[in-house]
Amino acid sequence: MALKGQQAQYQQALLNAQEHPSPWMIVWIALRNHKGALVGAGVFGFITFAVLVGPLFYPYDPAAIDLTVRNQGMSWVHWFGTDNLGRDTLARILSGGRVALSVGFTAMVLSLVLGTAIGLLAGYYKRLDGPLMRFTDFFLALPLLPLLLVIIVFFRDTLSSTFGQNMGIFLLVVVIIGITSWMQIARIVRSETLALKEREFVKAAVSVGTSGRHIVINHILPNILSPIMVSATLGIANAIITESTLSFLGLGFPSDFPTWGRLLFDGSNYIQINVERVIWPGLAISLTVLSINYMGDALRDAIDPRVRNK
Amino acid sequence: MLKYTTRRLMFAIPTLIVISFVLYVLLDLAPSDPTGNLPLTIPPEVREKIRDQLGVNDPIHVGYLKWMRQFFINEPLHIFEQATGLSIGDSSERVRVVSFTTRSPVVDLILDRLPQTLWVVGLSYVVGILIALPIGVISAYKQYSWFDQIGTFVSMVGFSVPTFFTGLLLIILFSSTLGWLPSIYDTTLRVTDFSSFWQQVKQMIMPVTVLAFYNAAQLSRFMRASVLENLNQDYVRTARAKGMKDRAILVGHILRNSMLPVVTMIALGVPTIFSGAIITEQIFRVNGLGHLLIHAIQNGDIYLIQSLTFIFAVLIVLFNLIADLLYGVLDPRIKYT
Amino acid sequence: MRKHIYLIGLFLVTSLLFSCGSPQDSEIATVSSTDRNNTMESTENLESVELNGDSRTLKILYWQAPSILNPYLSSGTKDIESSSLIVEPLARYDSVDGEMVPWLASTIPTMANGGLASDYRSITWNLRTDVIWSDGTSFTAADVVFTWMYCSNEEFGCVSSNAFKDVAQVVAVDTHTVRVEFTKPMYFPYGPFVGSLTPIIQKEQFKDCLGAAAQACTEQNFNPVGTGPFMVEDFKANDVITFIANPNYREEGKPYFQKVIFKGGGEASSAARAVLETGEFDYAWNLQVEPEVLEGMQDTGKGELLTGFGSNVERIMVNQTNNDSSLGREKRSLYLDGTNPHPFLSDLNVRRALSLAIDRSILVEVGYGDTGRPMCNVIPAPSKFVSDNNEECKTQNIEEANRLLDEAGWVRGRDGVRAKDGIRLSMLYQTSTNSVRQDTQALVKEWWSQIGVETELRHIDGAVFFGSDQGSPDTLGKFYADVQMYTNNFEGIDPSEYVESWVCEEVPGPHNDWNASNIPRGCSADFDALVEQLEVTEESQDRIETIKQINDFVVQNYWEIPLIWRARVSAKSVSLKGVKMNGWDSELWNVADWYRE
């Protein structure tokens, strides 16, 4: 029932919009009427807003130590409690969120671009398939930890002196996560492309002399958006978690620079003493991933005309 | 198909050699040190002597060639001799690939670990698939239903909460509080009768659950996306128009088509079983290959890491080939020549 | 559709609510408090099932897994301690202040009993005559001589070779008397064959494993024949060892335990949990976990913590050389005959202020609890060597620190950071990755900010930081930071060699491949003179005084800022008795006396 109502609304909105709406307009209208998208965007917007603006209003500094209030539970003074040095958990989550979100997004975009490009090229151009896929195999086979250690040894000081300590580490972390997580996306994109290449509409496009680039961008890419969307949402979660592993190993951000993954990791020893320390960062990561997932779902539905008009 | 397979296999050899060389260079450049865990009271000069003795200070090409000879010539010969009882040349002088920390052959260490990894990680992979597929299909078929919403929520939580946390939670609940399950995997346990079998099941429950939850979360998302993709294809509409029952369409057409990308994903994931699950194995102290690898990395045990990752690389290349072949079998439109 | 969304919202809200309220009200805490009785019952059942026929099995958990059971090839403490169940030295250090006790020897040789030559150039050990190897053959002087030959072989790479470096030869006087001859007078001649690093191995078993051949002796290295209370039944490298009682053990009725399961792997907090909370194991090693976490685990009453204070001191090393990253490999953190001093840490006032600003008792409270004590000396024990001239550091004094810096002309800038002649007091503070150390870093950073010193923190994976890879910039020997923190100690109970390695000549650099021990790179003719004096001092009271002076020199020059005297900390189950925690020798030194009640 609800779906029907939604459809009606959507048709109405289309009528109201204009005589011949552009394709992106249609997508936008579909998105606006998609409940999942609204909820997802709402939650995600709230988290982003809180993370960006929250620290301006919340009175505690994430690094301020107050030994008189160690391991406190939730209270009106410290909303989300404090850790074992009396640092305010909410303040740390807010500041950690900035890092987590920016690392998650940038790394995800990097791996998505790399993975999609390589997958499309390998799937569509037969010549490139062998070399590119062996290249992918190669990256899959690389052991992550030694790779990280080597990268850190060679690039940390250079990057830190060029971009400053924190920006340097940020770039390092993003690149490390990006270049070690694109392979799966590439494999999926390639196999989908292989299948699409044999489909009638692509063959038709080829037969009328459409250029390869045009086919890839306008015909194949839109049709493989759904696995890409799934990869993207999983990619963000993956990046946030990988970042926590890096910090834990001493390869990521310095210890006085909280991130969600690291807060969760540090808090896990305290789970029986102070649950707040794991609940909040865990919830923050989960909610972010969940809301991005809903938005991704909605975007896919909105782009696909068959779903949209069902 | 056969021609394609042989060509791919031929191509795999140079690929693997390049991989092995790059791996070695990487490990040689990495800053970890086999004497790093010794007590600080051991003076630096002594450490230097130990490193010399281990060959850590050899130039890269010397170390790499040494490994090549040991791994590709001496090890296979050793296995051959063990299997047939024959001896070729001077077998006592032949040096096998030896680990720095244990001073014992790397291959023996790996064989020692393989069963636990196959059991725990492999089983969790199977369980994960068995959970993920139906959830993915039903979630897609009834998109935005109750089932789908909860499935989405659970799998997203499953994916976004790291295994170190789920593992800890289970230990606190089932080992500390309830006392039902052991938190430490007993590798000396031999399954001889029902009670020891039950013991084995009990100690596998938690690690398998943690890993299966994580695997299932990821896979079910892909399955759902794939089915959704197919639900709206023209052939489904045609089948419906012909009056086919929904269930029949789902089972007969949609499933088969949407399994395509998922099957390749599953095949591609198989090598990760062998690489073990580093964090989960660490938490529950399962002595699998992941545990071995992290131990080797922490101790700068170059030959052990090199051999493990190389075997892993072989599996990746192999299963990529298998995935491609499977793809050709499942989708007759794709032709390999 | 809409309804579903609301329901999900509701679900989220409830899950949020679950986590609200005080920690006691949370889901997990409630389960544990209300069900405690049931829990106890169910685990008791579990235990009683296990105990039937199993009460004579001892289960030990080391979170680093043993890789080899030959201590001369060990790659860490875990290998040395696990092998201490099998092979034994001539004498061990007691748990009380490290007093020596004879083990395979019948007495400790001294000048008084004629065991020690008057020129300090040889020492004669009388061996016990009732000792039998686990294979039934008897233990003789030949085994002791062989052990020396085994470890001092040039082609071997022996971990304990330092103990034998001044040994000219080891001679079997008769079947049960051994004389160790030194190349120079040894005023502390108890290095070789004392403590867990140099136990005696069997000649018969290892005779074909000399030199380079030692590497191929997998069978011997995994299953050494020993004189100790246990012998190996099964060894899975990097995982678990099964020991069984040695039927030939010299003491009647010992060991109590018939079987030992020695499991390795994982990390410290879960190891603590396995003993203190779930009771699955009897003994867990090296539990550096935050004190409140350990305390919480102890509440279940299944286990208790053990502490043993040895010579471990957590300290901050203060770099005396310039470590600016722009200097490059040829200059960075190198002494270069004093031409490359640190821009501001070469100022004694700054170093002193750094130490004064630290509240050591808070560091103990937050990171160590009962397992650490505030410490102002780099030599914290044995008691006769401990100086009492440095107690000032035990009270934090921010005002005094600020006054010192003001007087020395370091003026606070607009950003609160002090500076002089364009040099800002801004430092890089590095240590290994470990949650307690990161907490300490955060606290120290906070205090230093109160005296106008800016601190940037870095933590490095232990395998890299404590390693000495030539190519790595992150090792403690390279010291590419202004200050760094870790724990150091000395082997055995005599600190002479330890303090002698802090002389100018021992400053690390490319000439010695950074393989040297004067990490802070402090260099002074006065200090070297003190060390020279120690090397020729014979009388033991004078030696003690000199060692105290050396300690004071290092501490009062603030080359090293001692923070905490750290105990070894382990846990045992309440039913396990007879454990004497030892900070000087292997923790498992008296495992033959352990029993279950």
Side-chain angles (χ1 to χ4, degrees):
Chain A
M1 287 307 282
L3 235 151
K4 266 196 188 142
Q6 198 188 340
Q7 283 304 319
Q9 268 181 17
Y10 162 72
Q11 301 288 359
Q12 193 58 45
L14 263 192
L15 286 177
N16 295 348
Q18 55 198 105
E19 287 282 300
H20 298 288
S22 76
W24 290 111
M25 196 63 198
I26 301 179
V27 169
W28 170 240
I29 292 166
L31 269 182
R32 244 176 34 199
N33 289 289
H34 193 290
K35 288 293 184 301
L38 286 183
V39 174
V43 173
F44 186 72
F46 173 75
I47 293 175
T48 321
F49 182 76
V51 160
L52 289 179
V53 182
L56 301 178
F57 296 101
Y58 195 65
Y60 293 99
D61 182 90
I65 294 172
D66 181 357
L67 293 170
T68 56
V69 287
R70 299 174 51 201
N71 296 319
Q72 300 269 306
M74 301 200 346
S75 68
W76 286 112
V77 188
H78 295 281
W79 291 5
F80 285 6
T82 58
D83 71 2
N84 61 322
L85 297 180
R87 293 177 290 200
D88 185 272
T89 305
L90 177 56
R92 287 168 75 72
I93 285 182
L94 291 177
S95 112
R98 292 182 176 191
V99 189
L101 288 184
S102 38
V103 166
F105 254 104
T106 333
M108 178 271 284
V109 169
L110 183 65
S111 75
L112 212 59
V113 169
L114 263 177
T116 312
I118 290 178
L120 278 175
L121 289 178
Y124 193 78
Y125 298 102
K126 208 147 185 256
R127 280 175 296 121
L128 294 176
D129 190 20
L132 281 179
M133 280 302 108
R134 298 299 76 72
F135 183 67
T136 314
D137 289 351
F138 171 70
F139 266 89
L140 277 170
L142 282 182
L144 192 59
L145 275 174
L147 177 72
L148 293 175
L149 289 169
V150 172
I151 293 180
I152 300 269
V153 166
F154 285 98
F155 299 108
R156 190 192 52 211
D157 285 346
T158 334
L159 281 175
S160 290
S161 54
T162 328
F163 297 98
Q165 154 103 342
N166 286 336
M167 193 59 196
I169 293 181
F170 176 80
L171 285 177
L172 206 62
V173 169
V174 163
V175 170
I176 286 173
I177 299 176
I179 63 166
T180 52
S181 59
W182 56 268
M183 292 81 76
Q184 209 183 15
I185 305 176
R187 293 287 321 190
I188 297 165
V189 169
R190 169 181 170 270
S191 59
E192 295 269 326
T193 312
L194 277 179
L196 280 173
K197 213 167 73 176
E198 307 296 329
R199 291 271 283 276
E200 294 76 7
F201 68 95
V202 178
K203 287 206 161 146
V206 174
S207 68
V208 297
T210 320
S211 75
R213 210 184 68 182
H214 187 89
I215 294 179
V216 167
I217 293 174
N218 290 334
H219 296 286
I220 295 185
L221 192 56
N223 276 295
I224 54 171
L225 271 180
S226 85
I228 294 183
M229 280 302 158
V230 176
S231 303
T233 46
L234 296 179
I236 287 193
N238 197 26
I240 293 177
I241 310 272
T242 314
E243 188 281 314
S244 75
T245 323
L246 291 185
S247 313
F248 164 62
L249 291 166
L251 304 176
F253 294 96
S255 56
D256 52 347
F257 203 78
T259 68
W260 283 350
R262 191 173 172 82
L263 287 174
L264 183 61
F265 186 85
D266 285 348
S268 57
N269 263 351
Y270 286 84
I271 186 166
Q272 285 147 303
I273 299 170
N274 194 349
V275 236
E276 283 85 353
R277 279 189 68 177
V278 291
I279 296 276
W280 292 113
L283 207 64
I285 300 176
S286 302
L287 277 182
T288 308
V289 174
L290 203 62
S291 60
I292 294 170
N293 177 61
Y294 273 111
M295 291 194 293
D297 260 10
L299 188 60
R300 189 199 53 222
D301 287 358
I303 290 170
D304 191 339
R306 287 176 305 243
V307 181
R308 202 164 61 212
N309 298 325
K310 195 164 68 177
Chain B
M1 191 86 155
L2 189 70
K3 207 171 130 201
Y4 175 77
T5 315
T6 20
R7 212 184 60 216
R8 276 285 293 271
L9 284 176
M10 293 296 285
F11 203 64
I13 294 171
T15 314
L16 285 171
I17 289 179
V18 172
I19 290 180
S20 77
F21 181 68
V22 177
L23 281 177
Y24 193 85
V25 172
L26 206 61
L27 294 175
D28 196 89
L29 292 176
S32 41
D33 177 3
T35 63
N37 282 328
L38 282 174
L40 278 178
T41 54
I42 309 285
E45 310 86 68
V46 175
R47 291 162 190 261
E48 190 58 22
K49 211 173 259 176
I50 297 172
R51 271 196 300 276
D52 272 339
Q53 205 285 320
L54 288 172
V56 185
N57 295 336
D58 289 349
I60 288 190
H61 62 277
V62 175
Y64 178 63
L65 290 178
K66 206 165 98 186
W67 177 79
M68 286 275 272
R69 199 178 70 218
Q70 293 173 355
F71 193 83
F72 290 112
I73 300 172
N74 297 1
E75 280 298 339
L77 280 177
H78 177 83
I79 293 169
F80 179 77
E81 286 180 2
Q82 288 289 307
T84 57
L86 299 169
S87 83
I88 307 157
D90 187 4
S91 52
S92 62
E93 283 296 300
R94 208 177 292 131
V95 184
R96 301 175 65 190
V97 190
V98 169
S99 131
F100 288 171
T101 50
T102 67
R103 322 277 171 139
S104 68
V106 162
V107 174
D108 296 357
L109 288 176
I110 295 175
L111 290 180
D112 215 30
R113 301 305 183 98
L114 202 56
Q116 284 77 268
T117 286
L118 285 184
W119 264 113
V120 175
V121 188
L123 190 65
S124 69
Y125 199 63
V126 174
V127 172
I129 294 170
L130 291 181
I131 302 173
L133 296 190
I135 290 184
V137 173
I138 300 173
S139 288
Y141 194 59
K142 309 206 158 167
Q143 195 187 8
Y144 300 131
S145 68
W146 247 112
F147 186 89
D148 181 28
Q149 304 286 14
I150 292 178
T152 304
F153 183 77
V154 171
S155 57
M156 277 298 136
V157 170
F159 193 77
S160 57
V161 176
T163 44
F164 69 75
F165 184 66
T166 25
L168 179 74
L169 212 59
L170 289 187
I171 287 182
I172 290 180
L173 198 62
F174 292 105
S175 303
S176 298
T177 311
L178 298 170
W180 290 348
L181 300 171
S183 69
I184 291 171
Y185 193 92
D186 177 7
T187 32
T188 58
L189 185 73
R190 295 274 157 277
V191 179
T192 49
D193 52 6
F194 184 74
S195 83
S196 60
F197 173 73
W198 181 232
Q199 198 78 21
Q200 177 69 20
V201 170
K202 271 193 352 194
Q203 68 179 356
M204 279 173 62
I205 291 178
M206 284 200 292
V208 169
T209 313
V210 167
L211 280 175
F213 186 47
Y214 184 76
N215 286 335
Q218 199 171 3
L219 204 56
S220 71
R221 298 311 297 165
F222 278 105
M223 188 70 209
R224 176 178 179 273
S226 185
V227 173
L228 273 181
E229 189 74 20
N230 277 283
L231 269 177
N232 302 305
Q233 296 288 349
D234 297 337
Y235 72 84
V236 177
R237 212 177 305 165
T238 315
R240 233 184 230 134
K242 284 197 314 191
M244 262 182 94
K245 289 228 172 63
D246 272 11
R247 181 175 296 264
I249 302 175
L250 182 69
V251 175
H253 297 271
I254 298 175
L255 263 190
R256 190 188 150 126
N257 280 304
S258 46
M259 278 305 281
L260 274 174
V262 177
V263 164
T264 50
M265 267 207 55
I266 293 174
L268 289 174
V270 172
T272 59
I273 297 179
F274 291 86
S275 78
I278 292 181
I279 295 177
T280 313
E281 288 184 4
Q282 184 94 335
I283 294 173
F284 296 101
R285 295 177 167 80
V286 181
N287 65 334
L289 293 174
H291 196 257
L292 187 65
L293 182 64
I294 192 77
H295 187 277
I297 289 173
Q298 282 168 349
N299 287 289
D301 200 340
I302 295 181
Y303 279 8
L304 182 51
I305 314 175
Q306 168 82 6
S307 308
L308 269 174
T309 43
F310 181 73
I311 294 172
F312 186 42
V314 173
L315 288 171
I316 288 174
V317 171
L318 198 67
F319 275 90
N320 272 353
L321 175 61
I322 292 176
D324 281 345
L325 294 179
L326 263 180
Y327 209 60
V329 173
L330 287 172
D331 188 346
R333 282 174 308 196
I334 296 171
K335 289 177 209 75
Y336 291 116
T337 45
Chain C
M1 186 67 203
R2 176 169 296 161
K3 199 168 73 188
H4 296 159
I5 300 283
Y6 289 148
L7 282 168
I8 288 183
L10 194 69
F11 185 60
L12 285 179
V13 171
T14 35
S15 57
L16 281 172
L17 284 175
F18 251 121
S19 51
C20 296
S22 62
Q24 285 76 21
D25 293 343
S26 67
E27 189 181 10
I28 295 149
T30 328
V31 172
S32 62
S33 57
T34 54
D35 289 358
R36 180 149 297 162
N37 293 335
N38 299 346
T39 316
M40 295 295 262
E41 256 168 51
S42 61
T43 34
E44 264 161 35
N45 290 341
L46 195 89
E47 262 169 36
S48 62
V49 172
E50 271 177 338
L51 284 183
N52 287 338
D54 245 10
S55 72
R56 290 210 161 197
T57 298
L58 173 65
K59 294 173 108 184
I60 300 176
L61 184 59
Y62 271 46
W63 55 265
Q64 286 184 344
S67 313
I68 198 163
L69 289 172
N70 179 347
Y72 295 106
L73 285 170
S74 85
S75 59
T77 312
K78 55 186 175 112
D79 299 333
I80 297 167
E81 304 221 333
S82 54
S83 62
S84 74
L85 268 68
I86 314 163
V87 283
E88 299 170 306
L90 298 184
R92 282 199 187 284
Y93 303 111
D94 193 350
S95 55
V96 185
D97 219 19
E99 285 301 313
M100 265 183 287
V101 283
W103 212 255
L104 294 182
S106 52
T107 48
I108 300 290
T110 57
M111 206 75 93
N113 65 22
L116 181 55
S118 57
D119 60 355
Y120 292 95
R121 280 175 174 270
S122 71
I123 182 171
T124 307
W125 293 88
N126 293 314
L127 310 181
R128 285 176 72 138
T129 49
D130 57 346
V131 179
I132 297 172
W133 291 103
S134 60
D135 64 1
T137 58
S138 57
F139 163 77
T140 67
D143 295 311
V144 183
V145 176
F146 176 79
T147 301
W148 161 70
M149 282 166 55
Y150 179 77
C151 183
S152 53
N153 189 305
E154 276 300 308
E155 282 166 54
F156 173 36
C158 176
V159 168
S160 312
S161 56
N162 195 48
F164 297 106
K165 74 174 191 301
D166 298 316
V167 175
Q169 61 170 341
V170 180
V171 188
V173 179
D174 60 45
T175 58
H176 285 86
T177 313
V178 179
R179 191 172 66 241
V180 181
E181 295 173 2
F182 299 103
T183 52
K184 62 175 191 187
M186 294 292 280
Y187 302 116
F188 183 84
Y190 305 103
F193 309 123
V194 182
S196 56
L197 273 182
T198 48
I200 313 300
I201 53 171
Q202 194 194 28
K203 180 180 181 182
E204 180 58 26
Q205 190 188 19
F206 280 90
K207 64 176 187 287
D208 297 327
C209 298
L210 280 174
Q215 312 298 326
C217 292
T218 307
E219 166 59 24
Q220 285 87 340
N221 295 334
F222 278 11
N223 189 0
V225 171
T227 52
F230 294 99
M231 50 197 244
V232 184
E233 186 186 55
D234 181 41
F235 178 49
K236 288 187 199 302
N238 300 342
D239 176 31
V240 64
I241 316 165
T242 314
F243 292 101
I244 47 171
N246 173 3
N248 293 313
Y249 188 61
R250 56 187 174 274
E251 281 184 74
E252 200 60 43
K254 282 184 181 174
Y256 168 86
F257 289 103
Q258 295 305 301
K259 195 173 178 184
V260 179
I261 305 282
F262 196 114
K263 175 89 179 172
E267 34 70 58
S269 62
S270 63
R273 181 166 281 118
V275 171
L276 299 173
E277 224 173 71
T278 69
E280 287 166 88
F281 274 72
D282 295 307
Y283 189 89
W285 161 85
N286 192 7
L287 308 175
Q288 201 193 5
V289 181
E290 289 83 351
E292 57 265 56
V293 176
L294 286 177
E295 212 168 278
M297 290 180 186
Q298 273 173 289
D299 286 348
T300 53
K302 286 188 178 140
E304 56 207 25
L305 285 182
L306 307 160
T307 51
F309 284 88
S311 58
N312 283 311
V313 175
E314 180 89 359
R315 70 206 49 205
I316 292 176
M317 300 278 188
V318 185
N319 198 341
Q320 296 302 302
T321 57
N322 194 350
N323 64 300
D324 192 326
S325 61
S326 64
L327 287 179
R329 220 179 130 89
E330 285 73 40
K331 269 194 101 173
R332 191 176 186 187
S333 278
L334 298 182
Y335 181 61
L336 307 174
D337 296 323
T339 58
N340 191 30
H342 194 281
F344 56 86
L345 289 175
S346 47
D347 181 344
L348 180 65
N349 291 303
V350 175
R351 306 201 294 271
R352 175 136 187 259
L354 293 179
S355 175
L356 279 170
I358 297 171
D359 188 337
R360 289 164 175 78
S361 44
I362 285 185
L363 292 183
V364 166
E365 186 192 326
V366 169
Y368 298 87
D370 294 335
T371 71
R373 291 174 197 161
M375 180 44 68
C376 301
N377 293 307
V378 285
I379 298 170
S383 38
K384 61 182 178 193
F385 291 117
V386 182
S387 162
D388 46 13
N389 299 327
N390 307 303
E391 296 308 291
E392 173 203 60
C393 92
K394 283 191 180 157
T395 34
Q396 183 190 34
N397 197 338
I398 301 262
E399 292 96 69
E400 175 66 10
N402 272 318
R403 197 189 59 79
L404 275 175
L405 291 173
D406 286 338
E407 257 177 29
W410 296 95
V411 188
R412 276 183 202 263
R414 202 173 294 155
D415 55 355
V417 179
R418 288 174 188 273
K420 182 164 91 174
D421 306 333
I423 299 169
R424 290 173 81 239
L425 293 185
S426 172
M427 301 196 296
L428 177 63
Y429 176 7
Q430 71 180 15
T431 188
S432 72
T433 304
N434 167 320
S435 60
V436 173
R437 288 209 168 106
Q438 266 76 77
D439 286 349
T440 306
Q441 274 186 313
L443 285 165
V444 171
K445 176 179 176 163
E446 165 76 18
W447 291 320
W448 284 350
S449 77
Q450 293 176 22
I451 59 167
V453 175
E454 181 184 66
T455 318
E456 191 181 290
L457 304 183
R458 174 178 292 166
H459 55 113
I460 299 156
D461 186 40
V464 177
F465 184 63
F466 293 112
S468 32
D469 186 273
Q470 290 291 307
S472 168
D474 287 336
T475 61
L476 63 86
K478 282 267 174 61
F479 204 170
Y480 286 172
D482 300 289
V483 289
Q484 64 183 357
M485 176 174 73
Y486 58 90
T487 287
N488 205 349
N489 67 323
F490 49 89
E491 187 56 41
I493 51 169
D494 183 71
S496 331
E497 200 183 326
Y498 177 60
V499 299
E500 282 162 20
S501 70
W502 298 338
V503 292
C504 294
E505 198 189 320
E506 285 283 324
V507 171
H511 60 286
N512 52 21
D513 291 335
W514 284 273
N515 286 317
S517 306
N518 184 354
I519 305 295
R521 292 136 165 84
C523 178
S524 141
D526 296 342
F527 182 83
D528 284 14
L530 273 175
V531 168
E532 258 168 52
Q533 185 192 329
L534 176 68
E535 278 165 358
V536 295
T537 307
E538 186 184 314
E539 210 274 311
S540 75
Q541 196 53 42
D542 292 346
R543 292 182 65 80
I544 291 171
E545 286 311 316
T546 316
I547 286 173
K548 280 187 185 175
Q549 282 173 27
I550 291 177
N551 170 74
D552 292 352
F553 195 101
V554 170
V555 173
Q556 288 165 9
N557 268 294
Y558 301 94
W559 289 344
E560 299 188 14
I561 301 175
L563 299 175
I564 289 145
W565 185 18
R566 278 179 59 186
R568 289 184 183 178
V569 47
S570 296
K572 72 165 191 70
S573 64
V574 279
S575 66
L576 184 65
K577 301 287 174 188
V579 183
K580 276 192 197 158
M581 184 62 178
N582 194 326
W584 302 99
D585 207 301
S586 164
E587 283 180 23
L588 309 172
W589 69 299
N590 73 335
V591 67
D593 301 334
W594 293 10
Y595 63 98
R596 196 189 298 284
E597 206 160 55

